[in-house]
Amino acid sequence: MAFVLSEEQTMLRDMAAQFFAEQVPTANLRQLRDADDALGYDPAIWQQIVELGFAGILIPEDFGGTGFGATGMGIVMQQAGRTLAASPLFATSCLGAGMIMEIGREEQKQELLPQVADGSLLLAVAIDESSHHNPSLIACTASKNGDAYVLNGQKTFVLDGHIAQKLIVIAREDGAKDATGLMAFLVDANTAGVTITRTKMVDSRNAANITFDNVALSAGDMLGNGPASRESIEKVLDLGRIIIAAEMLGGVEMVFETTLDYLKERKQFGQIIGSFQALQHRAAEMFCEVEIAQAVVQDGLTAIEENRNDVPQAASLAKARLGDTARLVTNEGVQMHGGIGMTDAVDVGLYIKRARVQAQILGDSTFHTSRYASLGSY
């Protein structure tokens, strides 16, 4: 496993770091939040992201992307996480594009992936149906009606669901709640019978609850040629788990660095508080956890790049570890900032809110600890 970035990856990291720091600082999120923005992201910023090629990083060059791979997307999302940048990048260019590449027919790839790469198509993957992530519990039904299908059910916590033009909906033909017979459908967001309700999350980011009431679909709306295997769906989810862990890592790094700077400048009882041994011990623990988090994220990205057999284990390890690390570091960041850390005057409060939501995306630490144990036959 290589922990040293290549020259091209280093250039990508530096470009992404400069872009997000200068063009999408935390002030951008504050502005969207305070304005109660209807979209939840800035289209002008999204266009810049597209022009930099970030939207097509996972997409092969044959389909209009840059083909920079999982590590490239992880690098970009890590830098986006440092500034809490709000954009459709994860939902559309990671989960959505990932599903099309893994499950879609050749003609679907030819039609849709270039639109993702050029930013003209926004996607959302609708899979969860309860308050906790569990891709095994799919009750949404796709009933056969001649050569067509009728979709019924509901989905929750659909990232960017209210801004997506197309939804990728995971359903079962007979509606039983188990892991077999899964199907994926491309559903236009404005199709009759689709009701999308935006939810306002604590981190001021986008999600939606969606209901499907006798939604008529043709056989051509199916993603792929038939039932999608659980393994194919999980492969895309594992990609998403590692990429969101990379975004969490960026936030964790920023909180740690900001807190460390504060410890070096804040005075109490006539002394710099960073000189207090108790705070030094806590900062040292944070440093160690951040280092471990960096290692597990890099290992997860490398596992995908090398197509290793242990990608599921690497994904669950990264997501579980980052969930725990983000909770520790953001909690400590708020506490070490003292009373001001509890106010909206400093950014650390924004990071703790974002970390709580990120922890739930595609499974929290409890889910992935259990999954990791099951994959290891414990």
Side-chain angles (χ1 to χ4, degrees):
M1 178 181 63
F3 283 94
V4 179
L5 297 179
S6 68
E7 182 178 353
E8 287 185 334
Q9 290 168 342
T10 300
M11 291 175 61
L12 176 64
R13 181 199 63 193
D14 294 345
M15 179 175 63
Q18 181 179 6
F19 169 74
F20 286 111
E22 295 179 357
Q23 302 300 321
V24 206
T26 53
N28 179 262
L29 180 65
R30 287 181 179 275
Q31 182 179 0
L32 293 171
R33 179 199 65 182
D34 296 344
D36 194 20
D37 190 87
L39 296 177
Y41 75 99
D42 186 338
I45 294 295
W46 173 239
Q47 187 57 41
Q48 292 181 61
I49 290 174
V50 170
E51 291 173 357
L52 287 169
F54 296 164
I57 282 181
L58 289 174
I59 298 173
E61 293 183 17
D62 291 345
F63 299 109
T66 60
F68 223 135
T71 298
M73 182 61 84
I75 288 171
V76 170
M77 289 301 296
Q78 182 178 351
Q79 298 307 317
R82 291 179 64 89
T83 68
L84 303 177
S87 81
L89 190 59
F90 179 72
T92 292
S93 303
C94 181
L95 291 181
M99 285 290 182
I100 294 171
M101 288 189 291
E102 184 64 26
I103 304 173
R105 300 189 299 273
E106 186 65 22
E107 59 269 26
Q108 291 172 328
K109 296 176 184 179
Q110 293 284 354
E111 176 189 359
L112 300 173
L113 292 179
Q115 296 179 48
V116 172
D118 68 18
S120 60
L121 176 62
L122 300 183
L123 300 169
V125 175
I127 185 167
D128 287 327
E129 299 180 3
S130 69
S131 57
H132 295 284
H133 176 68
N134 192 338
S136 296
L137 299 180
I138 303 295
C140 189
T141 63
S143 305
K144 198 76 182 292
N145 183 21
D147 293 331
Y149 292 87
V150 178
L151 188 66
N152 281 285
Q154 57 85 31
K155 298 290 181 179
T156 62
F157 199 32
V158 181
L159 299 179
D160 287 344
H162 88 289
I163 60 173
Q165 292 138 321
K166 286 185 180 292
L167 308 170
I168 298 176
V169 184
I170 309 299
R172 292 199 73 248
E173 187 168 357
D174 60 8
K177 293 184 179 182
D178 60 37
T180 61
L182 299 180
M183 308 173 75
F185 290 90
L186 283 164
V187 182
D188 287 340
N190 58 2
T191 302
V194 177
T195 302
I196 301 175
T197 305
R198 181 186 183 184
T199 58
K200 294 184 178 181
M201 297 188 293
V202 69
D203 65 345
S204 305
R205 298 289 288 273
N206 290 333
N209 294 328
I210 305 177
T211 59
F212 304 94
D213 184 12
N214 291 322
V215 178
L217 301 174
S218 69
D221 292 324
M222 184 186 300
L223 190 60
N225 293 312
S229 70
R230 172 68 185 277
E231 290 74 18
S232 296
I233 293 173
E234 284 286 3
K235 184 176 180 180
V236 180
L237 296 181
D238 280 334
L239 168 67
R241 288 157 180 156
I242 295 172
I243 298 299
I244 199 68
E247 184 189 0
M248 295 172 76
L249 174 60
V252 163
E253 290 174 334
M254 181 59 78
V255 172
F256 174 65
E257 293 166 13
T258 302
T259 303
L260 208 60
D261 289 341
Y262 188 75
L263 294 179
K264 294 175 181 178
E265 64 184 31
R266 172 75 168 123
K267 285 187 177 181
Q268 189 70 32
F269 309 114
Q271 298 184 58
I272 297 294
I273 63 175
S275 65
F276 299 155
Q277 190 176 52
L279 295 184
Q280 290 176 355
H281 288 171
R282 291 166 67 178
E285 181 185 8
M286 292 167 67
F287 171 79
C288 293
E289 292 301 318
V290 172
E291 289 289 303
I292 294 172
Q294 291 170 341
V296 297
V297 168
Q298 184 59 56
D299 180 58
L301 295 171
T302 303
I304 293 177
E305 295 279 7
E306 297 178 350
N307 197 26
R308 289 181 354 212
N309 292 330
D310 67 340
V311 168
Q313 290 92 329
S316 281
L317 175 61
K319 190 61 170 61
R321 191 78 197 198
L322 265 296
D324 291 341
T325 300
R327 176 175 288 274
L328 169 69
V329 173
T330 54
N331 282 355
E332 291 284 60
V334 168
Q335 291 178 24
M336 291 188 188
H337 273 79
I340 197 173
M342 299 296 293
T343 72
D344 198 46
V346 295
D347 287 341
V348 67
L350 300 177
Y351 286 88
I352 195 171
K353 292 174 183 177
R354 179 60 180 156
R356 294 303 184 268
V357 175
Q358 287 171 320
Q360 301 302 318
I361 296 173
L362 302 182
D364 61 11
S365 295
T366 300
F367 174 89
H368 284 291
T369 299
S370 176
R371 181 175 184 249
Y372 188 89
S374 296
L375 289 168
S377 301
Y378 290 112

